[in-house]
Amino acid sequence: MLGPEGLNRALEHLRAFVRRKGLKSSLVRESVARAALEHVGHFTAEELVRSVRERGVEDVHPATVYRVLPLLVEAELIHQTLVSGGEGQRYERAFEREHHDHIICSSCGKVVEFHFEAIELLQSDVAKSLGFRLTGHIHELFGVCSACEPLART
Amino acid sequence: MLGPEGLNRALEHLRAFVRRKGLKSSLVRESVARAALEHVGHFTAEELVRSVRERGVEDVHPATVYRVLPLLVEAELIHQTLVSGGEGQRYERAFEREHHDHIICSSCGKVVEFHFEAIELLQSDVAKSLGFRLTGHIHELFGVCSACEPLART
DNA sequence: CTTGATGCAAAAGTTTTGCAATTTC
DNA sequence: GAAATTGCAAAACTTTTGCATCAAG
C-alpha cells in the first residue's frame, strides 16, 4: 500500500521526469498514474481504464492509457510483470517497493511475492560466468498452493 | 540439434500420443512437428508456417499451426518459452533436451542458455517454504553481453 | 462411412496509429 | 501561439472459431 504521502512523492517524481524530458504535465496522465499507483496487485491496461473511471473524476480513453503506460514504466513508477499469460501485458507499482518475484498457484491463481537474496546472487554469478552484465530478470514460479492440495499432504 | 534418428523417435512419440488420445495421425501435423523439431532456436507460430512452407513438401495454414502447437506442447515435443516479449508466443524443442533457462543480451538480442542446479534447488526451497508444490517456472535474465560492451571492461 | 483434421474467412482481443480537437506552457 | 496530449476511429497483429471439405481409420 502506498499512502497519500507516497502518492505525492510519486507524482512529484513523475512531474520532474516529465519536465526533464521536455514534455508537459497533464491532468489525465496524472489520473492514470494515480490509479496505477494505488491499484492493489497487478493490472492490465484495460483494468486501469476501469480504475480511472471508477474514481469518477476523470475519464480516460484506452488509447491514452496505452500511451501513458510506457511513460510510467520509463519513470519507474510501475514495472511490467509477467504473472503468466492471459489477457495482455500486466503491470504493478514499482515506486517505493522492493524488488520481488512471483509464485502463482495454477489451480486458484493466487499470486505470492517472494524475494530470496541467495537466488538473486546466483543470478549475478550466472550472468557473470556467461560474460553478461546483468541488468534485469523475470522469475516466475508455478505450483499448487497448500489450499488447493488437500490431497498428497504428508 | 536433433538428428534424423531423434526426429523419428519424436514422430513415433507423437503418433503414440495421438493414438492414446483417440485422435488421428495426419501428414500435415507431422510436417508441422518436423519443422518445429528441426527448427534452430526459438520460433513463433508464424515462423513455423514459413518453415513448413520452405521445406516445400507440404503447405500449412496458420490456423492449423495454431491448432497443432498446443498438441505438440501437450505431447512434450516442444515447450512454450518467453524469450521476452516481441511478436507473439515463442516455442522451442523440448524433446530429448535438458531443461534450461535463458539469458538475453538487450543490445544484440543474443540468447544464451544456462542451467544452474543451485538455482533450481533454491527455487524448490522457496516454493516449499511458501506452501507450494513447484510444478514449473520461467526464469529469464537480461543483460549486456561482452561483445556489446567494449566499454567498462575492467 | 464415421470422425477427426484442414483451409478459409470471419471474428475476437489487444495494442498502435493518424488526425483533429484540446490542453499545457 | 507553439507544442504536447487526448479522444476517436481505423488499422495492425496475433490468435481463435464456425463451417464446409478433405483425409484417416
Side-chain angles (χ1 to χ4, degrees):
Chain A
M1 270 286 82
L2 186 72
E5 331 75 30
L7 183 61
N8 283 334
R9 281 191 296 275
L11 292 178
E12 200 44 64
H13 179 84
L14 176 61
R15 286 183 200 115
F17 172 81
V18 160
R19 223 175 297 134
R20 206 176 322 127
K21 292 207 74 173
L23 303 178
K24 294 172 179 172
S25 283
S26 102
L27 273 176
V28 177
R29 184 155 55 210
E30 293 207 356
S31 293
V32 175
R34 241 187 296 269
L37 289 159
E38 296 193 328
H39 198 107
V40 179
H42 309 96
F43 55 89
T44 61
E46 196 204 355
E47 286 164 353
L48 200 51
V49 171
R50 270 202 301 277
S51 296
V52 174
R53 177 159 306 143
E54 277 160 17
R55 297 161 147 265
V57 201
E58 292 281 342
D59 202 6
V60 209
H61 196 275
T64 301
V65 169
Y66 280 107
R67 280 187 274 232
V68 169
L69 281 171
L71 203 75
L72 301 185
V73 169
E74 205 188 335
E76 297 190 274
L77 261 49
I78 62 178
H79 276 156
Q80 296 192 336
T81 60
L82 192 57
V83 188
S84 284
E87 343 75 58
Q89 177 64 56
R90 280 187 182 68
Y91 300 85
E92 66 180 350
R93 174 165 62 89
F95 186 79
E96 293 186 358
R97 285 193 89 191
E98 300 297 325
H99 163 71
H100 61 267
D101 296 299
H102 300 108
I103 181 165
I104 303 116
C105 177
S106 341
S107 171
C108 68
K110 181 166 70 181
V111 177
V112 178
E113 301 176 357
F114 70 87
H115 178 88
F116 252 55
E117 199 52 34
I119 293 183
E120 307 282 328
L121 292 175
L122 281 174
Q123 285 182 156
S124 301
D125 291 350
V126 171
K128 198 171 301 174
S129 74
L130 296 172
F132 282 69
R133 178 171 55 84
L134 190 64
T135 58
H137 72 266
I138 291 177
H139 199 184
E140 208 159 87
L141 307 183
F142 311 109
V144 181
C145 75
S146 42
C148 288
E149 193 158 61
L151 12 124
R153 199 113 300 278
T154 358
Chain B
M1 272 283 85
L2 187 73
E5 333 76 29
L7 183 61
N8 283 333
R9 282 193 295 276
L11 292 178
E12 200 45 63
H13 180 83
L14 176 61
R15 288 184 198 111
F17 172 81
V18 160
R19 224 176 294 133
R20 206 176 322 125
K21 292 208 74 172
L23 303 178
K24 294 172 180 173
S25 283
S26 101
L27 274 176
V28 178
R29 184 155 54 210
E30 294 206 356
S31 293
V32 176
R34 242 188 295 270
L37 289 159
E38 295 193 329
H39 198 108
V40 178
H42 310 96
F43 53 88
T44 61
E46 197 205 353
E47 287 165 352
L48 200 50
V49 171
R50 270 203 299 275
S51 296
V52 174
R53 177 159 307 144
E54 277 160 18
R55 298 161 147 264
V57 202
E58 293 280 342
D59 202 7
V60 212
H61 197 274
T64 302
V65 168
Y66 280 108
R67 279 186 276 232
V68 169
L69 281 171
L71 204 74
L72 300 185
V73 170
E74 205 187 337
E76 298 188 275
L77 260 51
I78 62 178
H79 277 154
Q80 297 191 335
T81 61
L82 191 56
V83 187
S84 285
E87 344 73 61
Q89 177 65 56
R90 278 185 182 71
Y91 300 85
E92 66 179 349
R93 173 164 63 89
F95 186 79
E96 293 186 357
R97 286 192 90 193
E98 301 296 326
H99 162 71
H100 62 266
D101 296 299
H102 300 109
I103 181 164
I104 302 117
C105 177
S106 341
S107 170
C108 68
K110 181 167 69 181
V111 177
V112 178
E113 302 176 355
F114 70 87
H115 178 88
F116 251 57
E117 199 53 34
I119 293 182
E120 306 283 328
L121 292 174
L122 281 174
Q123 285 182 156
S124 300
D125 291 351
V126 171
K128 199 172 298 171
S129 74
L130 296 172
F132 282 68
R133 178 171 56 83
L134 190 64
T135 58
H137 72 267
I138 291 176
H139 198 183
E140 208 158 88
L141 307 184
F142 310 109
V144 181
C145 75
S146 42
C148 288
E149 194 158 61
L151 11 125
R153 197 114 303 281
T154 358

